[in-house]
Amino acid sequence: MGRQLRIVHHTGYRYPAGVAASRNEARMTPRTNREQIVLATNLEISPTAWTYGYRDYWGNHVTAFEISAPHDRLQVVATSTVEVGDRPSAGDGISWDEVLAPDLADQLVELLQVAGHIEPPPELWKLAQRIRRDAGTPAQAVHQLVTAIRERVDYVPGSTEVHTRAGQVWEARAGVCQDLVHLGLGALRSIGVPARYVSGYVMPSQDPVVGQPQTGESHAWLQYWDGRWVGVDPTNDTAPGDFHVEIGTGRDYFDIPPLRGVYSGPSESDMFVEVEVTVLA
């Protein structure tokens, strides 16, 4: 294994007029897989809440909780220590015949759907078809498409909001990591390459000091099917490495938001987020 990272993720809502009760789901617990091992994890909720943990359809860990007493602030603090190792590197991988095989399309049909927020704009759709014709393998097409998206769209924090569609991001030429992933998902699925959204964290510094906390944020990248799931980080135009910590996967952002729910009370609310990442070893 490679790096050992500690992530402290603070998030929640302020309700200026107060609310009577709230019900929520948190997806903030990393999962153990071949590339990472969760050594410790803890979720603190304030005010005190009734909680229930389960795995969702995609295998992500979910903590559902309910606060039945009046409150004007909800805070969730997820603290995790994760050991991250090598991830599968991209190669020539499988052929077009293999990735377009009917059996695979049937197995991964949900990760081939092109609709809603990830639907590519016409210009990107045409670019994807052209790359599909010229690329010798799906892996080559993936990396050409991701590079083209990154060259077109600048990473600009705060330039979009959670419901911004891929087409709007393409026209504006600016977006956040979620938007770049949605553009990539739509483009790849439009040429028959199964792809999924990955939610997680990334160490913001490439040369961090051991034991020194760094201010970070939730991050997103994608994985495409190449005989196995292979990751690509469109924001950084690179492969995820030992500074990436995976929370879970889904069809798009809306399958795995860190925190979502409903509440009883006035409509006004203010969300806050703070992420701290520390290299421990």
Side-chain angles (χ1 to χ4, degrees):
M1 302 299 286
R3 305 276 184 176
Q4 191 174 113
L5 305 176
R6 181 178 64 226
I7 302 99
V8 183
H9 184 173
H10 297 254
T11 189
Y13 293 95
R14 301 180 187 91
Y15 308 106
V19 298
S22 64
R23 294 190 177 110
N24 302 270
E25 291 182 345
R27 288 171 170 81
M28 299 165 62
T29 302
R31 61 183 180 185
T32 293
N33 55 30
R34 291 184 179 182
E35 292 83 45
Q36 64 182 40
I37 297 174
V38 179
L39 303 177
T41 184
N42 182 58
L43 194 71
E44 298 179 10
I45 301 167
S46 178
T48 302
W50 170 91
T51 65
Y52 172 71
Y54 69 95
R55 296 280 179 178
D56 67 14
Y57 178 80
W58 303 103
N60 307 313
H61 182 81
V62 183
T63 300
F65 60 95
E66 177 180 349
I67 302 171
S68 56
H71 53 285
D72 57 13
R73 178 184 172 94
L74 164 65
Q75 177 172 278
V76 181
V77 181
T79 304
S80 302
T81 302
V82 183
E83 195 165 344
V84 185
D86 295 331
R87 288 182 163 86
S89 58
D92 288 337
I94 60 178
S95 67
W96 282 111
D97 286 343
E98 290 173 294
V99 82
L100 298 174
D103 287 349
L104 182 62
D106 184 61
Q107 179 185 352
L108 299 178
V109 62
E110 292 159 313
L111 301 175
L112 284 166
Q113 294 177 353
V114 184
H117 287 76
I118 72 164
E119 184 175 1
E123 185 179 0
L124 178 57
W125 187 89
K126 292 177 182 177
L127 174 64
Q129 308 313 306
R130 185 166 67 250
I131 288 175
R132 160 67 183 91
R133 289 192 299 269
D134 297 339
T137 65
Q140 292 174 14
V142 169
H143 290 282
Q144 290 178 38
L145 270 170
V146 169
T147 298
I149 290 169
R150 193 62 185 88
E151 289 175 349
R152 162 81 182 210
V153 180
D154 293 328
Y155 174 70
V156 181
S159 59
T160 59
E161 50 90 23
V162 68
H163 293 289
T164 303
R165 290 177 172 265
Q168 296 171 294
V169 176
W170 184 260
E171 291 302 320
R173 296 176 178 263
V176 297
C177 59
Q178 167 190 312
D179 303 312
L180 290 162
V181 173
H182 281 174
L183 283 166
L185 293 175
L188 294 181
R189 293 179 190 175
S190 74
I191 59 173
V193 177
R196 63 187 187 182
Y197 187 101
V198 185
S199 174
Y201 308 101
V202 66
M203 164 59 73
S205 171
Q206 292 303 304
D207 189 26
V209 177
V210 174
Q212 181 174 311
Q214 300 281 332
T215 299
E217 59 186 16
S218 296
H219 193 55
W221 57 98
L222 65 83
Q223 293 173 346
Y224 67 96
W225 183 254
D226 199 29
R228 65 192 189 287
W229 290 110
V230 179
V232 178
D233 184 345
T235 302
N236 298 302
D237 197 12
T238 187
D242 55 6
F243 285 142
H244 288 71
V245 174
E246 181 181 323
I247 293 290
T249 62
R251 292 165 298 182
D252 53 36
Y253 167 83
F254 299 98
D255 277 338
I256 187 167
L259 180 65
R260 69 178 172 196
V262 296
Y263 61 88
S264 174
S267 60
E268 187 177 355
S269 66
D270 175 33
M271 189 176 192
F272 57 90
V273 180
E274 180 181 321
V275 178
E276 181 183 275
V277 184
T278 308
V279 175
L280 301 180

